[in-house]
Amino acid sequence: MQMLKGKTMAIMIAVLLTVSMGASMILVPNAGAANQIPTFSFISVSPNPIGVGQRVNVNFWVNIPPPTASAQYGDRWHNMTVVVTKPDGKTVTLGPFTSDATGGTFTTYTPDQVGNYSFKFVFGGDTIVDANPSSPIPPAAHSSSYGDYFKPSESSVFTLTVQEEQIPYEGGASLPTNYWTRPIYGENNAWYSISGNWLGLAASTFAATGMYNATGNYNPYTTAPNTAHILWTRPEAFGGIIGGEYGSSETANYYSTSQYEPKFAPIIMNGILYYTLYPGASTYPEGWVAVDLHTGQTIWTKTEAQVNNEVLKCGQILNMITPNQYGAEAYLWAIPVSAAGFMAGGSYMSMYDAMTGQWILNITGTPSMTLTSDEHGDLVGYYTSTNYFTGTTYLNKWNSTACINLNQTNYGGGPPVADQWMWRPPQGAQIPYTYGVQNDANWPAAMPARDANNNSLTVMMSYFGMTFPSYLLGISAVQSDVIYAAGTAGAAGFAYQSGWEEEAGFSQTTGKLLWGPFNVTEVPYSIIYTGGNWAGSGARIELTESTLTVTGYSLTTGAKLWGPTALPNASPFSSLGANSVVANGTAYIWLYGGDVYAYNIVTGALKWQYHTPPGGYESPYGVEPLWTFSVGTVADGKLFVPEGHMYSPPLFHNAQQLALNTTNGDVVWSIDAFDVTSAPAISDGVMTTLNAYDNQIYAWGKGPSAMTVTAPDVGVTTATPVTIRGTVIDISAGTQQQAQAANFPNGLPCVSDASQTAWMEYVYMQQPCPTNATGVPVILSVLDSNGNYRQIGSTTSDGSGMFTFTWTPDIEGSYTVVANFAGSESYYPSNAETSFYASAPAPTASPYPTVTLPPTETYFTISTVAIIIAIAIATVLLLRKRP
């Protein structure tokens, strides 16, 4: 924000130049003569004045942007420095800096003295050399500005006043404590930390999407449920018991576990949950749906015909920063059914508007890629390709934004250009994917045909009845600026291998080979999964399932860091499958045999281990197995993994959705749920899963609450206790669903965090009503007639949601009663008010009868009293006269 404010003039000039210079940006034969162009430099420092020790923004720019510059490609100004003169006369030179596409940039500076600082921007001059092109430029087709020299210039001196008094920061609202939804107000910058999206950049096993990104399911920008509170449920397909003539056996369920045909693979952007509908078999999807993440209400639905028999691939939030545009736009990407699923090949990708679901364009011929997203939101794909005649495998890089922009013509017509000043995807376009393939000195990168020991990597290997050349390395991880490529018996996916594996590391930035390829000896005929190599923090961890050991390797060098280390107390069934997610330098590994481990991925130190309890009568494993086909999720200090098995039938009883503390492995909460067809997706504090017990989507998270409170409004005095009563009700969207509204016509009671699991199973899963459910704490306060606000006590609601409290008003006058529920891990806070008036108590009646005298007797009585008083006074006076 500050940078753009400081560069207003540069941006205005850039806007004007967009039209006037459009033709000059077209690639034309070089005229040969270089121009000498004068420049003007500017600088601004803010805020001014500033307190000593507070940071300021230093914005500086040249009056004209580089003529060939665009959002991602083209020349940039260099030789940019800022000279700072302190109050004591000493100077500091900041830089050198490189400009952005607008011709300027910014830095920050923290003054350490009180007084006046001087700032001067110095531009040393620069020559246009057609740098950083989106594609190679033929020697005879440079831009019309090629060779032009832009002369040096200096800005006027800007004076910054530094004072002792600190300048207050006008920040946005702090993180919310009340219920919130999207959109997030534009000034609430701090909320970024709790509003991470879920783009689905990688696929849960056998699905087309559903994972946070290619590295795994770790969303560091969201809170996550601390209890089993349910916000809403929504059917995805027929589920649960069939009933009737199908009997009560364990096999009498609707198809639900669907390990090879996952029914739910979510994408979440801007508080909207998107997913492909699979009411039946995965070969016949029935369109897409966009759902409000907080309420479960449908925003829009597209039939399969409307989306051309395509399934969702991922979301994209493209944050375009150009001279004429500043801000993001959201898109959905889709692929045909034939290109979805495990190890499916590529075909084409379709782009849709995320708010409306309307189709925009197609990118044709796309290969199967490992998709990532860069800092601007560009989709960047990495894939391998092989020349079968030469036996050479190449590593390639593709960019969606470049692909689309290269297909556009500049304003006013002409051939394709690298980028536009404004992002305008052409409606209805059919764009070859090759436009987005990076093609320079490093990309594509050829993978060597021999390893470090000069062993040939082109041996033909066979598995599953198919023969492949072993040099078909595939991409297993993109992490820490390293592309880790591995091949097992000729493929990077899941395969039995005959005692070896190929591995290599490439620079994500340049595509250059960093290390390898190594021909690594493995345990013969062990199973290796793509997910068997989990990367993060500059390292990766490899699990050998046949021996139940883990080993750590450096991503940057390929060298072994530690291991192999045996997994302690592992069940033999853990050799049947495993998965992991890496977060903050820790690899969280869970295995089919019910074992969970947390390892420091760099040192190999075991942080903790967790083992599921013994299985029930229906479990053939002796433990409650953990689902490993889909990936678990880490968010907000919790690891979410589901119990379940890979093959159906049956659906055994009491499978749990687990939430484990990532610090010590303790169970934070669990609930009866067979969440096995996709990993939990978490965004905006809400987690979504598909429960195989009933084939419904469940949304978990903290929900809104509402309160009522009443007090007597007549006959209240300061001598009489009053009873204050009210309710605390869960008003999450799910409470208005048919069954929930019918069972709780007066509202669904809020219950304690400790009661949450059993209560949610009763409310949403048709399980028995718990007999020991407890309510939530309520604080009662009053505003009395003297204007004093004070707490008068506290109580706890019961299992029906009602609370009562008895209190005696202590002064006369009007009272406002405030009942407050401060919230919990399950509910956001709420409050309610009522009022009453307390009067003085009536006089206390005498227990004896009152006698009324006639008037004459009354007069006599008064006279008698007066005479007695007179005698008494006279007596006193006589006594005073005695000597």
Side-chain angles (χ1 to χ4, degrees):
M1 295 287 290
Q2 292 291 339
M3 175 185 68
L4 292 180
K5 289 179 181 177
K7 290 161 47 183
T8 302
M9 183 177 297
I11 293 176
M12 291 176 62
I13 294 173
V15 172
L16 296 174
L17 290 172
T18 299
V19 177
S20 63
M21 297 181 60
S24 67
M25 294 176 65
I26 301 171
L27 302 182
V28 297
N30 184 23
N35 299 308
Q36 303 283 322
I37 302 171
T39 65
F40 299 88
S41 293
F42 302 87
I43 190 169
S44 177
V45 183
S46 63
N48 185 22
I50 192 68
V52 65
Q54 290 186 293
R55 187 178 62 184
V56 293
N57 297 302
V58 183
N59 301 279
F60 46 98
W61 63 96
V62 179
N63 65 308
I64 183 172
T68 62
S70 62
Q72 299 180 63
Y73 303 106
D75 289 280
R76 300 291 189 265
W77 295 139
H78 304 87
N79 307 317
M80 304 170 74
T81 58
V82 174
V83 179
V84 182
T85 303
K86 297 184 176 184
D88 61 6
K90 295 180 179 179
T91 61
V92 177
T93 300
L94 310 179
F97 300 97
T98 298
S99 78
D100 57 23
T102 69
T105 187
F106 80 105
T107 187
T108 61
Y109 182 78
T110 303
D112 57 6
Q113 301 175 19
V114 173
N116 290 332
Y117 280 73
S118 297
F119 289 78
K120 182 171 67 174
F121 165 43
V122 178
F123 173 52
D126 209 347
T127 301
I128 298 300
V129 294
D130 288 351
N132 190 31
S134 60
S135 58
I137 299 175
H142 282 292
S143 71
S144 60
S145 300
Y146 181 77
D148 286 352
Y149 179 66
F150 289 77
K151 296 180 178 180
S153 59
E154 295 183 359
S155 72
S156 299
V157 173
F158 187 98
T159 301
L160 172 70
T161 301
V162 180
Q163 59 192 29
E164 290 285 358
E165 182 183 357
Q166 299 293 288
I167 302 300
Y169 172 68
E170 297 180 2
S174 57
L175 293 180
T177 56
N178 293 323
Y179 180 75
W180 64 278
T181 60
R182 297 279 188 151
I184 298 172
Y185 201 63
E187 293 182 340
N188 297 350
N189 304 81
W191 291 29
Y192 83 94
S193 61
I194 61 169
S195 54
N197 299 282
W198 191 276
L199 298 181
L201 290 171
S204 293
T205 309
F206 301 110
T209 184
M211 285 177 58
Y212 181 75
N213 59 24
T215 303
N217 281 344
Y218 170 43
N219 188 348
Y221 304 109
T222 182
T223 58
N226 285 322
T227 72
H229 180 256
I230 295 170
L231 296 172
W232 51 267
T233 63
R234 181 184 175 99
E236 164 65 359
F238 284 177
I241 300 297
I242 303 172
E245 64 272 26
Y246 290 90
S248 62
S249 73
E250 297 169 356
T251 61
N253 300 291
Y254 286 99
Y255 184 39
S256 55
T257 49
S258 310
Q259 63 272 5
Y260 298 122
E261 297 182 311
K263 292 183 175 297
F264 181 59
I267 297 167
I268 305 173
M269 294 188 293
N270 197 45
I272 300 175
L273 169 68
Y274 305 90
Y275 57 95
T276 301
L277 293 166
Y278 291 103
S282 63
T283 50
Y284 298 99
E286 294 299 328
W288 312 341
V289 63
V291 171
D292 187 300
L293 180 64
H294 294 271
T295 68
Q297 299 302 305
T298 300
I299 297 174
W300 53 256
T301 300
K302 297 293 180 181
T303 66
E304 193 61 13
Q306 289 175 311
V307 295
N308 196 31
N309 199 36
E310 296 169 357
V311 298
L312 288 170
K313 174 64 176 175
C314 68
Q316 180 187 19
I317 300 175
L318 181 61
N319 192 20
M320 289 296 293
I321 309 299
T322 73
N324 284 359
Q325 180 174 345
Y326 178 80
E329 297 187 27
Y331 302 101
L332 293 168
W333 290 87
I335 56 177
V337 175
S338 60
F342 187 61
M343 298 183 72
S347 180
Y348 67 87
M349 293 175 62
S350 298
M351 184 186 198
Y352 291 79
D353 179 80
M355 188 168 185
T356 65
Q358 295 300 309
W359 176 73
I360 299 174
L361 56 82
N362 284 351
I363 295 179
T364 61
T366 54
S368 179
M369 292 182 283
T370 297
L371 286 178
T372 64
S373 181
D374 64 17
E375 65 274 16
H376 298 295
D378 304 304
L379 291 183
V380 180
Y382 301 93
Y383 64 97
T384 58
S385 59
T386 300
N387 185 324
Y388 289 94
F389 296 100
T390 64
T392 303
T393 298
Y394 295 94
L395 177 64
N396 304 275
K397 181 180 181 180
W398 177 85
N399 185 294
S400 63
T401 308
C403 184
I404 294 170
N405 276 340
L406 275 171
N407 191 66
Q408 299 183 67
T409 57
N410 201 3
Y411 300 120
V417 297
D419 252 325
Q420 302 297 311
W421 292 100
M422 300 179 73
W423 169 250
R424 295 293 182 267
Q427 178 68 43
Q430 302 287 330
I431 305 172
Y433 89 95
T434 52
Y435 280 28
V437 178
Q438 186 162 339
N439 186 12
D440 57 27
N442 299 313
W443 300 95
M447 294 183 173
R450 291 181 175 272
D451 65 16
N453 297 319
N454 204 35
N455 297 317
S456 173
L457 298 180
T458 58
V459 179
M460 302 299 288
M461 300 300 297
S462 176
Y463 67 98
F464 294 161
M466 297 176 286
T467 301
F468 293 91
S470 69
Y471 49 75
L472 283 179
L473 292 176
I475 298 168
S476 290
V478 180
Q479 176 65 248
S480 305
D481 198 38
V482 176
I483 301 170
Y484 168 64
T488 301
F494 142 74
Y496 289 94
Q497 48 82 31
S498 300
W500 56 270
E501 181 182 41
E502 302 164 14
E503 299 171 351
F506 298 82
S507 168
Q508 186 180 354
T509 303
T510 67
K512 290 183 178 180
L513 182 70
L514 298 176
W515 54 267
F518 300 149
N519 193 339
V520 180
T521 301
E522 299 284 1
V523 177
Y525 303 106
S526 62
I527 298 178
I528 302 295
Y529 291 93
T530 302
N533 291 290
W534 303 294
S537 301
R540 65 181 180 87
I541 190 169
E542 181 179 299
L543 168 70
T544 303
E545 292 177 337
S546 297
T547 59
L548 290 177
T549 58
V550 287
T551 307
Y553 297 88
S554 169
L555 272 178
T556 56
T557 67
K560 185 168 74 172
L561 299 175
W562 53 270
T565 300
L567 297 173
N569 307 309
S571 163
F573 287 103
S574 286
S575 64
L576 298 180
N579 224 316
S580 176
V581 62
V582 178
N584 300 321
T586 299
Y588 301 96
I589 306 170
W590 61 98
L591 300 98
Y592 190 63
D595 306 311
V596 186
Y597 303 93
Y599 281 95
N600 183 301
I601 197 168
V602 176
T603 68
L606 176 64
K607 294 185 174 182
W608 52 262
Q609 55 184 297
Y610 169 83
H611 306 277
T612 59
Y617 176 79
E618 298 168 330
S619 173
Y621 310 106
V623 296
E624 298 288 353
L626 295 172
W627 183 260
T628 60
F629 271 25
S630 61
V631 183
T633 299
V634 170
D636 193 26
K638 292 170 285 291
L639 168 65
F640 297 91
V641 289
E643 294 180 355
H645 53 66
M646 292 183 287
Y647 303 100
S648 63
L651 283 171
F652 61 79
H653 287 73
N654 199 40
Q656 298 288 300
Q657 170 63 60
L658 297 173
L660 303 180
N661 187 310
T662 56
T663 300
N664 54 28
D666 290 345
V667 177
V668 179
W669 61 270
S670 68
I671 194 169
D672 191 64
F674 210 97
D675 296 338
V676 295
T677 63
S678 68
I682 307 175
S683 177
D684 292 2
V686 179
M687 180 176 81
T688 58
T689 63
L690 179 69
N691 189 348
Y693 281 135
D694 58 6
N695 269 347
Q696 290 198 103
I697 298 168
Y698 281 69
W700 319 80
K702 184 182 288 191
S705 65
M707 296 188 72
T708 63
V709 63
T710 61
D713 54 6
V714 295
V716 179
T717 72
T718 56
T720 306
V722 297
T723 298
I724 302 168
R725 60 173 52 89
T727 58
V728 191
I729 300 300
D730 182 352
I731 58 170
S732 300
T735 65
Q736 300 303 308
Q737 294 170 188
Q738 181 181 6
Q740 288 69 34
N743 288 329
F744 300 93
N746 297 318
L748 179 65
C750 289
V751 299
S752 65
D753 292 340
S755 303
Q756 204 62 226
T757 291
W759 187 250
M760 291 293 103
E761 290 173 348
Y762 163 56
V763 174
Y764 288 98
M765 301 175 182
Q766 302 172 331
Q767 298 304 296
C769 178
T771 59
N772 59 349
T774 56
V776 296
V778 176
I779 301 297
L780 292 157
S781 304
V782 296
L783 177 65
D784 63 28
S785 56
N786 292 331
N788 296 318
Y789 186 81
R790 49 201 170 96
Q791 181 178 325
I792 61 173
S794 62
T795 185
T796 301
S797 62
D798 59 22
S800 69
M802 187 178 74
F803 64 88
T804 59
F805 182 76
T806 301
W807 179 68
T808 302
D810 48 9
I811 63 172
E812 297 178 30
S814 297
Y815 284 86
T816 298
V817 179
V818 179
N820 183 67
F821 167 46
S824 65
E825 296 294 349
S826 304
Y827 309 102
Y828 285 99
S830 58
N831 58 73
E833 294 184 5
T834 189
S835 62
F836 65 86
Y837 183 87
S839 59
T844 303
S846 173
Y848 303 102
T850 302
V851 178
T852 303
L853 298 175
T856 54
E857 295 179 1
T858 302
Y859 298 151
F860 175 78
T861 303
I862 295 172
S863 300
T864 302
V865 173
I867 292 170
I868 293 171
I869 294 172
I871 293 172
I873 294 172
T875 303
V876 172
L877 293 174
L878 289 173
L879 290 174
R880 287 182 177 177
K881 292 181 178 180
R882 289 182 181 180

